[in-house]
C-alpha cells in the first residue's frame, strides 16, 4: 500500500559492495516506506541475493561505499543480531539445517532475544509453547516440526514455511524474502504467500527477491525493480513484472543503454 | 663422552636406566596397604614393572601424548591417610549433588571413606579386596596396582532401581600419587547403573592414576557413566577395564572435562557370544589441556557387537587424542563393530590426533570406522545471528548440538543437565 507520507523504513543510497575484492553492487539506490511491498527482479548474477545478505549483515560481504539507513539510523554499523532485534528479517533462500538444536528451543531463544531487546520479559517455555502453536497455524506446519532439529530433514517447502513461522514470531519491520518461492510447489507457494500477506501491516514493509512473476500473483507488490549489474536500472508498478515475464530482460538492458 | 640431560621433552633421549628411575621414584611413594590381601597383588605388579620405564613418544601407543607435565612435576611423599578436615571438605562437595542412588561409595586420595559412603541396599555388597584383577598389564595400570592403598570391591545383584554412585576425590594434601581402585562385579542377569566421578578439591596438583574393573556376568547389563572433572592442574591417568560374559550388555559413557594432562584407557574384553558393547565418549578440552582416549575392544567370541562414537570439542591450544582399537581374531566370526570419531575444533591452535586401529582376522564380520574433523560453520552462526542470537549464544547452541548425541542417553536427567552446564562453563 503506497502512502507517500508514511515513514521511510529503508533508504539505500549509492551502495557499493564486494565479495573477496570482486565488486557486486555498483551504486544501488532504493527507498522503502512503511506499508509498501517491493519486488526486486533480475537475471542471475545481478546482485539480488548479495543485496539481501548485506542488509542482514552477512560477514562475507564488504560494503565499499554508499549508505543504508534503517528507520533513519545507519544499519551498516550494527552486527547481524542487532539488526534482527531492531526488526530486520531475512528469509533465507537456502535455510540451514542445524541438527541437534531443537526447532522449538531455537524459536524461543530468537523470540526472547528480541523481547529482551525491547525491554520486555522473556517468555517461559510454557507461554512460548502456546504462542508458537498459534503462529504455526499460519503456515500450516504440523506441530511435530517443532520438536525436530532446526530444518533437519525438512523438505524445501517445509524449510520455507519454517522461515515464515520465524517471521511470524519475530514480527519484523523490514522483511526480506530471498527467493522464498524457489523450490515450492503451487500449494506450498499459496501457503507461504498467504502467510506473508497476513503479516503485512501499515507499519512494516516487505522486500521480495525473485526470479519469477509467479510469486507476485500471490503477494502483490507496490513497486517492481529490475536489477542488473549491481544496480536498479528500472522501477515500475506490478505490471512491469508481467512485461518482464513476457519479454525477458534484454529489452530493459537496451533501453537503459539508450538512456545512458 | 658426556651425556647432556635436557629438560622436559627430550626425556625420550635419556638412557633407559634414568627412565627406570622415574618409575622407581613414583613407586617409592606407595603408601602402606590397608589390607594384608593387597600385598601379593602389589608385589606381582611391582615385579612386572621391574623391566619397564615410563612411556616415551617412541612408544607407538604414546606417540601423541606429551607426558612432560607428569615428568617435570616433583612428587614428594606417599599420600597420607584421611584427615577429618579433608573429609569435611569432601562432605561439603558431595552435598551439592542431588538425585536418588541405592549406594554411594567415596574414595578420598584412593582411600575408602566409610564415613561418607553408604552401602546397605539390597543387591549391593561390599566384598573383601579379593575379586580377580582384570586390569590389562600396562605400565600405568601396573603402577596403580603396585601402589594400592586400598581396593573397593563391589558385587551388584538383581535389578537395581537406582544408580550406584562412586566418587573418587583427590585432595590437595600434597603433591603425590593417588591410586584409586574400584572393582565391580555385576552378577549374572543383574542390571545396574554405575556413575563414577573423578573430582578434585580446589588446588589439586596430584597425579591420580586410577583403575576401575567392571566384570559383567552372563546376561548382565551395566550402564556406566564416567565423569572425569578434576581440577585444571591435576594429572589423570584412568583405566577402565571391562570384561563381558555371554549375552551381556555394557553401555559406557565417558565424559572428560578436567586435568592438564589426562588419558582414559578404556579396554573391553568380550568373552562370550551375544554380547553388546556401546562406548560413547565426549572429551572437552580448552586452554592447553591434553586429553587422550585410548580404547580397545577385544572380541574373543563370535556373534557379538560393538558401537563406538567418540567426540572431541577442542578450543584454545588444547590437544585431543583418540586411538580406537578393535581386535577381531579368527574365533570372532559374525562380529558387528562400528566406530566413529568426530572432532570439533573451536580454535586455529587446537589440535587432534585420531587413529582407528582395526585388527581383523575373521573373514565373516562387519566392521566400520570413520573420523571427521570440523569447525563451527560460519553460515550456521550467521543464520542464528540473523535471528537475533548474539555470537556467543549461537556458538553455545551449535556446540551443545554437537555434544547432544553423546549426552542424550545419560540418565538421570539432573546428571545430564549437570554435564551440559559443565560443558558450557568450559566454553566461556
Amino acid at each position: 500500500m503506497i502512502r507517500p507520507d508514511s515513514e521511510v523504513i529503508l533508504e539505500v543510497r549509492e551502495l557499493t559492495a564486494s565479495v573477496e575484492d570482486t565488486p557486486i553492487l555498483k551504486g544501488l539506490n532504493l527507498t522503502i516506506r512503511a506499508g509498501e511491498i517491493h519486488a526486486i527482479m533480475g537475471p542471475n548474477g545481478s546482485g539480488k541475493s548479495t543485496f539481501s545478505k548485506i542488509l542482514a549483515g552477512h560477514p562475507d560481504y564488504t560494503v565499499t561505499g554508499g549508505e543504508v539507513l534503517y528507520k533513519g539510523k545507519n544499519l551498516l554499523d550494527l552486527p547481524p543480531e542487532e539488526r534482527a532485534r531492531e526488526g530486520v528479517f531475512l528469509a533465507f533462500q537456502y535455510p540451514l539445517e542445524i541438527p541437534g538444536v531443537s526447532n522449538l528451543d531455537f524459536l524461543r531463544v530468537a523470540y526472547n532475544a528480541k523481547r529482551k531487546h525491547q525491554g520486555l520479559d522473556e517468555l517461559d517455555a510454557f507461554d512460548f509453547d502456546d504462542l508458537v502453536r498459534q503462529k504455526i497455524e499460519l503456515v500450516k506446519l504440523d506441530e511435530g516440526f517443532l520438536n525436530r532439529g532446526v530444518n533437519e530433514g525438512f523438505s524445501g517447502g517445509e524449510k520455507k514455511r519454517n522461515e515464515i513461522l520465524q517471521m511470524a514470531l519475530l514480527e519484523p519491520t523490514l522483511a526480506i524474502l530471498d527467493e522464498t518461492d524457489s523450490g515450492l510447489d503451487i500449494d506450498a507457494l499459496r501457503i507461504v504467500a498467504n502467510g506473508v500477506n497476513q503479516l503485512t501491516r501499515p507499519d512494516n514493509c516487505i522486500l521480495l527477491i525473485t526470479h519469477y512473476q509467479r510469486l507476485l500473483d500471490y503477494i502483490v507488490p507496490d513497486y517492481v525493480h529490475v536489477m542488473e549489474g549491481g544496480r536498479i536500472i528500472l522501477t515500475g508498478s506490478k505490471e512491469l513484472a508481467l512485461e518482464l515475464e513476457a519479454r525477458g530482460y534484454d529489452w530493459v538492458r537496451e533501453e537503459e543503454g539508450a538512456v545512458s | 663422552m658426556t651425556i647432556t640431560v635436557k629438560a622436559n621433552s627430550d626425556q625420550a633421549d635419556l638412557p633407559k636406566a634414568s627412565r627406570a628411575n622415574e618409575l622407581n621414584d613414583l613407586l617409592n611413594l606407595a603408601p602402606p596397604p590397608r589390607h594384608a590381601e593387597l600385598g601379593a597383588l602389589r608385589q606381582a605388579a611391582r615385579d612386572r614393572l621391574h623391566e619397564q620405564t615410563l612411556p616415551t613418544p617412541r612408544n607407538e601407543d604414546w606417540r601423541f601424548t606429551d607426558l612432560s607435565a607428569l615428568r617435570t612435576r616433583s612428587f614428594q611423599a606417599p599420600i597420607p591417610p584421611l584427615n577429618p578436615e579433608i573429609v569435611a571438605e569432601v562432605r561439603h562437595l558431595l552435598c551439592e549433588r542431588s538425585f536418588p542412588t541405592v549406594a554411594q561409595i567415596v574414595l578420598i586420595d584412593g582411600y575408602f571413606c566409610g564415613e561418607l559412603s553408604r552401602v546397605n541396599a539390597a543387591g549391593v555388597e561390599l566384598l573383601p579386596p579379593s575379586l580377580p584383577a582384570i586390569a590389562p598389564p600396562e605400565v600405568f595400570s601396573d603402577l596403580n596396582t603396585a601402589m594400592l592403598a586400598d581396593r573397593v570391591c563391589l558385587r551388584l545383584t538383581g535389578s537395581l532401581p537406582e544408580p550406584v554412585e562412586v566418587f573418587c576425590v583427590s585432595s590437595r594434601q600434597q603433591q603425590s600419587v593417588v591410586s584409586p581402585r574400584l572393582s565391580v562385579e555385576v552378577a549374572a542377569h543383574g542390571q545396574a547403573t554405575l556413575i563414577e566421578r573423578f573430582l578434585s578439591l580446589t588446588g589439586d596438583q596430584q597425579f591420580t592414576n586410577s583403575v576401575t574393573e567392571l566384570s559383567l556376568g552372563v546376561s548382565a547389563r551395566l550402564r556406566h557413566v564416567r565423569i572425569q572433572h578434576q581440577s585444571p592442574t591435576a594429572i589423570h591417568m584412568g583405566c577402565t577395564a571391562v570384561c563381558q560374559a555371554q549375552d551381556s550388555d555394557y553401555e559406557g559413557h565417558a565424559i572428560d572435562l578436567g586435568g592438564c594432562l589426562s588419558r582414559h584407557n578404556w579396554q573391553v574384553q568380550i568373552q562370550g557370544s551375544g554380547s553388546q558393547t556401546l562406548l560413547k565418549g565426549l572429551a572437552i578440552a580448552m586452554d592447553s589441556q591434553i586429553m587422550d582416549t585410548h580404547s580397545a575392544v577385544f572380541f574373543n567370541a563370535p556373534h557379538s557387537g560393538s558401537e563406538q562414537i567418540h567426540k572431541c570439542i577442542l578450543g584454545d591450544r588444547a590437544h585431543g587424542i583418540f586411538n580406537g582399537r578393535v581386535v577381531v581374531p579368527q574365533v570372532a566370526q559374525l562380529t558387528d563393530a562400528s566406530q566413529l570419531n568426530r572432532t570439533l575444533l573451536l580454535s586455529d591452535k587446537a589440535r587432534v590426533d585420531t587413529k582407528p586401529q582395526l585388527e581383523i582376522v575373521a573373514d565373516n564380520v562387519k566392521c566400520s570406522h570413520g573420523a571427521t574433523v570440523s569447525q563451527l560453520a560460519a553460515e550456521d552462526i550467521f543464520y542464528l545471528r540473523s535471528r537475533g542470537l548474539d555470537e556467543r549464544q549461537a556458538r553455545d547452541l551449535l556446540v551443545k548440538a554437537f555434544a547432544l548425541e553423546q549426552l542424550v542417553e545419560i540418565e538421570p536427567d539432573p546428571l545430564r543437565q549437570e554435564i551440559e552446564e559443565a560443558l558450557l562453563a568450559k566454553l566461556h
Side-chain angles (χ1 to χ4, degrees), chain B residues 267-279:
Chain B
Q267 303 238 348
V268 181
Q269 291 281 352
I270 292 173
Q271 302 291 22
S273 62
S275 290
Q276 287 302 319
T277 307
L278 176 67
L279 304 182

Side-chain angles (χ1 to χ4, degrees), chain B residues 8-16 19 22 55-58 71:
Chain B
N8 315 352
S9 56
D10 290 327
Q11 296 279 332
D13 295 329
L14 286 179
K16 195 173 175 185
R19 284 187 278 121
E22 294 177 326
T56 72
R58 292 196 184 155
R71 289 203 144 93

Side-chain angles (χ1 to χ4, degrees), chain A residues 85-114:
Chain A
R85 293 172 197 163
E86 286 283 341
V88 177
F89 178 88
L90 170 65
F92 279 52
Q93 183 179 2
Y94 303 109
L96 285 104
E97 294 195 23
I98 311 181
V101 175
S102 118
N103 204 22
L104 187 63
D105 288 348
F106 164 60
L107 294 170
R108 191 177 67 241
V109 174
Y111 180 76
N112 278 332
K114 179 161 188 188

Side-chain angles (χ1 to χ4, degrees), chain B residues 65-70 72-73 75 200 204-207 228-237 257-263 285-292 317-319 321 426:
Chain B
T65 315
D66 181 0
L67 290 178
S68 42
L70 175 63
T72 51
R73 194 168 292 185
F75 299 104
S200 296
D204 167 26
Q205 292 207 30
Q206 299 189 133
F207 167 31
Q228 187 273 104
H229 198 180
Q230 298 210 257
S231 78
T233 46
I235 296 173
H236 179 98
M237 295 282 153
L257 295 157
C260 60
L261 164 64
S262 68
R263 168 138 151 164
M286 308 296 284
D287 299 323
S288 52
Q289 285 183 298
I290 300 172
M291 221 170 246
D292 177 354
R317 282 154 290 123
H319 182 191
I321 298 137
K426 276 204 81 170

Side-chain angles (χ1 to χ4, degrees), chain B residues 190-204:
Chain B
Q191 288 196 19
T193 298
L194 177 74
I195 298 164
E196 191 186 18
R197 299 168 186 266
F198 293 87
L199 303 171
S200 296
L201 293 182
T202 315
D204 167 26

Side-chain angles (χ1 to χ4, degrees), chain A residues 58 81 85 90 96 163 166, chain B residues 379-380 383 385 387-388:
Chain A
H58 196 292
E81 60 270 27
R85 293 172 197 163
L90 170 65
L96 285 104
E163 294 288 287
Q166 292 165 35
Chain B
E379 285 298 319
D380 287 352
Y383 186 55
R385 289 179 78 190
R387 297 300 180 254

